Amino acid sequence: MAAITEPDALPGRLSQITRSAPEVIATAELRIETGGEGFLDITAETQRFLAEAGAQDGTFSAFLRHTSASLTVQENADPDVLRDLVSALRHLAPRDFGWVHDAEGPDDMPAHVRTMLTGVSLQIPVLDGRLQLGTWQGIYLIEHRATPHRRQIVLQFTGSRAGKNADASLSTRPKML
Amino acid sequence: MAAITEPDALPGRLSQITRSAPEVIATAELRIETGGEGFLDITAETQRFLAEAGAQDGTFSAFLRHTSASLTVQENADPDVLRDLVSALRHLAPRDFGWVHDAEGPDDMPAHVRTMLTGVSLQIPVLDGRLQLGTWQGIYLIEHRATPHRRQIVLQFTGSRAGKNADASLSTRPKML
Amino acid sequence: MAAITEPDALPGRLSQITRSAPEVIATAELRIETGGEGFLDITAETQRFLAEAGAQDGTFSAFLRHTSASLTVQENADPDVLRDLVSALRHLAPRDFGWVHDAEGPDDMPAHVRTMLTGVSLQIPVLDGRLQLGTWQGIYLIEHRATPHRRQIVLQFTGSRAGKNADASLSTRPKML
């Protein structure tokens, strides 16, 4: 709640500015069982977290608590894209590179490299309780290890809360995006 | 507004701490027309957003709503650096890899890989209304597709507001960085 | 301070939600002297910043003000992992690529590419004043240049403050994670 739209649109390519009050930081943990190497869509779980948290306007962030899996935002339409992304990661960080670290199996060190290249945290803006993803974007956990693993993701929302009376100094506004 | 400096500097390599009150979340959309593959400097547009939003101290974040373009912070001095970065991305995710996904043209799947390697969201601290970029840093949209595209970026600022009376419990402070 | 746990756990894989009030944005600068190419663990310095800032629940972020070094979260157990990560970066962005930009030495352009692939900003959730890193995760500055450099990192915490009386509308809660 608690958001306004500027009365006059800005010139140029910048839209009107929406303002809200930072009212809450909501944090939860999402536990995922992966099926081995590949992409897992966690967009629906993320949107559910935002609904449960009563999120209105603000920022969603996710942090993966591991070093051999990662998080990314990628195409949600053609599954071939995700298959090709796995091929690309295998090519960029192959098993047979002559890694020094091999105590945890031949798939472990490539998994660390792939994690470094893709990252363990991501942030997405939220308006009216909805992730502001593009039409073709989904949120994915990428499992880089060959075998199934249990993964923990910390989900967080910082922003205004839905369903409250508007703040005295701020009023509601039409959906911007 | 609303920020203080600790009276005593911390020992070691950590500077004094500046404190401000989270007062506003400002969100807008930036629309960019790209000219095909390459880097586009969006630093000035970003700084303008912060000025329009009345940003004082806090965090700026940008989120690109696409899966074949990305955002990065890179050198703003020698244009050859940007050209070399394009060469590097072409080498890391080439067109002739034998991608399965080719329904959208030979430049589409490499664009997805390059997006995965560089990311669609970034965060930069703001103090006294200024992005705390280093001297040689600029904010870039990287267009990975061969042809011009329309791109949408959600800009967000979370922090204190400029131009207000100081909060009762917090006072102004000298520029830290 | 100021956090509650939902009375009923959510079904499925999502944990209870912890709520806190955004009360402060604390910002400081960390100066690091690197010893040339390699990984530098800055986890302890980061945790010290959070303690000095009086951080309770919220988000920690770090931003590196350079374009030839970067920040990452990686394994803190076997040093061989970090050595292999350096090898991987050397392989992905080699010195002898035929870079156009070579005015700052043969190690400069590869450093820019490695920075683009690994990033200059990161975000980690904080609960009860502790970074919510996984067991094997540490925060690293990666120096990509061959020689020692002075690096500046802006550290920021946004969230609730420790040691205050609980907010009227929110109460303390057990540790969640």
Side-chain angles (χ1 to χ4, degrees):
Chain A
M1 289 307 283
I4 56 165
T5 300
E6 292 294 332
D8 302 303
L10 297 169
R13 300 174 295 180
L14 194 63
S15 78
Q16 292 182 326
I17 293 177
T18 294
R19 290 196 174 82
S20 303
E23 295 172 320
V24 71
I25 299 165
T27 311
E29 190 181 74
L30 179 63
R31 296 178 189 85
I32 301 277
E33 310 263 341
T34 73
E37 192 182 11
F39 282 65
L40 259 169
D41 190 334
I42 61 167
T43 314
E45 295 277 352
T46 295
Q47 194 59 59
R48 180 173 153 238
F49 161 73
L50 292 172
E52 297 278 354
Q56 178 77 4
D57 298 336
T59 303
F60 165 77
S61 63
F63 180 80
L64 183 71
R65 307 179 74 208
H66 306 274
T67 59
S68 56
S70 52
L71 298 175
T72 199
V73 170
Q74 265 293 339
E75 163 154 340
N76 60 9
D78 181 358
D80 281 344
V81 170
L82 304 180
R83 288 187 199 104
D84 278 338
L85 291 174
V86 170
S87 299
L89 289 167
R90 287 179 180 173
H91 176 71
L92 292 165
R95 282 196 177 203
D96 60 348
F97 187 78
W99 307 110
V100 177
H101 172 80
D102 63 0
E104 298 168 70
D107 64 321
D108 187 57
M109 194 57 225
H112 289 303
V113 177
R114 295 168 195 177
T115 297
M116 177 176 65
L117 296 176
T118 48
V120 294
S121 79
L122 53 80
Q123 288 72 38
I124 303 168
V126 175
L127 285 176
D128 285 335
R130 303 292 306 174
L131 291 164
Q132 294 302 298
L133 293 167
T135 308
W136 311 110
Q137 289 182 315
I139 310 174
Y140 292 90
L141 183 158
I142 321 178
E143 176 61 72
H144 300 301
R145 300 297 306 270
T147 55
H149 279 68
R150 292 186 180 183
R151 303 300 191 179
Q152 301 170 339
I153 308 173
V154 181
L155 308 182
Q156 204 163 55
F157 170 76
T158 300
S160 61
R161 301 178 71 163
K164 285 184 33 214
N165 288 330
D167 187 277
S169 62
L170 299 166
S171 60
T172 55
R173 54 102 186 68
K175 189 161 165 56
M176 186 192 71
L177 297 173
Chain B
M1 288 310 280
I4 57 166
T5 300
E6 292 292 331
D8 302 303
L10 298 169
R13 301 175 294 182
L14 195 62
S15 77
Q16 293 182 327
I17 294 177
T18 294
R19 289 196 175 82
S20 303
E23 294 171 322
V24 70
I25 299 166
T27 311
E29 189 180 75
L30 180 62
R31 296 179 190 83
I32 302 277
E33 309 264 341
T34 73
E37 191 180 12
F39 282 65
L40 259 171
D41 190 333
I42 61 167
T43 314
E45 294 278 352
T46 295
Q47 194 60 58
R48 181 172 153 238
F49 161 72
L50 292 173
E52 297 279 353
Q56 178 76 6
D57 299 335
T59 303
F60 165 77
S61 63
F63 180 79
L64 183 71
R65 307 179 74 206
H66 307 275
T67 59
S68 57
S70 52
L71 298 175
T72 198
V73 172
Q74 263 294 338
E75 164 154 340
N76 58 9
D78 181 357
D80 282 344
V81 170
L82 304 180
R83 289 187 199 103
D84 278 339
L85 291 175
V86 170
S87 299
L89 289 167
R90 286 180 180 172
H91 175 71
L92 291 166
R95 282 195 177 204
D96 60 348
F97 187 79
W99 306 111
V100 177
H101 172 81
D102 63 0
E104 297 169 70
D107 64 322
D108 186 58
M109 194 56 225
H112 289 304
V113 177
R114 296 168 195 177
T115 297
M116 177 175 66
L117 296 177
T118 48
V120 293
S121 79
L122 53 80
Q123 287 74 37
I124 302 169
V126 175
L127 285 177
D128 286 334
R130 303 293 305 174
L131 290 164
Q132 294 301 299
L133 292 167
T135 307
W136 310 111
Q137 288 182 317
I139 310 174
Y140 293 91
L141 182 158
I142 320 177
E143 175 60 72
H144 300 301
R145 298 299 304 271
T147 55
H149 278 69
R150 293 188 178 182
R151 303 301 192 177
Q152 302 170 337
I153 308 173
V154 182
L155 309 182
Q156 204 164 56
F157 169 76
T158 301
S160 61
R161 302 178 72 163
K164 285 184 35 215
N165 289 329
D167 188 278
S169 62
L170 299 165
S171 60
T172 55
R173 53 102 185 71
K175 190 159 163 59
M176 186 193 70
L177 296 173
Chain C
M1 286 307 281
I4 57 165
T5 300
E6 292 293 330
D8 303 303
L10 299 169
R13 300 173 295 181
L14 195 62
S15 77
Q16 292 180 327
I17 293 177
T18 294
R19 289 196 176 82
S20 303
E23 293 170 323
V24 70
I25 299 166
T27 311
E29 188 181 75
L30 179 63
R31 295 178 190 84
I32 302 277
E33 308 265 341
T34 73
E37 192 182 12
F39 282 65
L40 260 169
D41 191 333
I42 61 167
T43 314
E45 295 278 351
T46 296
Q47 194 60 57
R48 178 172 154 239
F49 161 73
L50 292 172
E52 297 279 352
Q56 178 76 5
D57 299 337
T59 303
F60 165 78
S61 63
F63 179 79
L64 183 71
R65 306 179 75 207
H66 306 275
T67 58
S68 57
S70 52
L71 298 174
T72 198
V73 171
Q74 264 292 339
E75 164 154 339
N76 59 10
D78 181 358
D80 281 344
V81 170
L82 304 180
R83 288 188 200 104
D84 279 338
L85 291 175
V86 170
S87 298
L89 289 167
R90 286 179 180 173
H91 176 71
L92 291 165
R95 282 195 178 205
D96 60 348
F97 187 78
W99 306 110
V100 176
H101 171 81
D102 62 0
E104 297 169 70
D107 63 321
D108 187 58
M109 194 57 225
H112 289 303
V113 177
R114 295 167 196 177
T115 296
M116 177 176 65
L117 296 177
T118 49
V120 293
S121 81
L122 53 79
Q123 288 73 37
I124 303 169
V126 175
L127 285 177
D128 286 334
R130 305 289 308 171
L131 291 164
Q132 295 300 299
L133 292 167
T135 307
W136 310 110
Q137 287 182 317
I139 309 174
Y140 293 90
L141 182 158
I142 320 178
E143 175 61 73
H144 299 302
R145 298 300 303 269
T147 55
H149 278 68
R150 294 187 178 183
R151 302 301 192 178
Q152 302 171 338
I153 309 173
V154 182
L155 308 182
Q156 204 164 56
F157 170 76
T158 300
S160 60
R161 301 178 72 164
K164 286 183 33 215
N165 289 329
D167 187 276
S169 63
L170 298 166
S171 58
T172 55
R173 53 103 184 68
K175 190 162 163 55
M176 186 192 70
L177 295 173

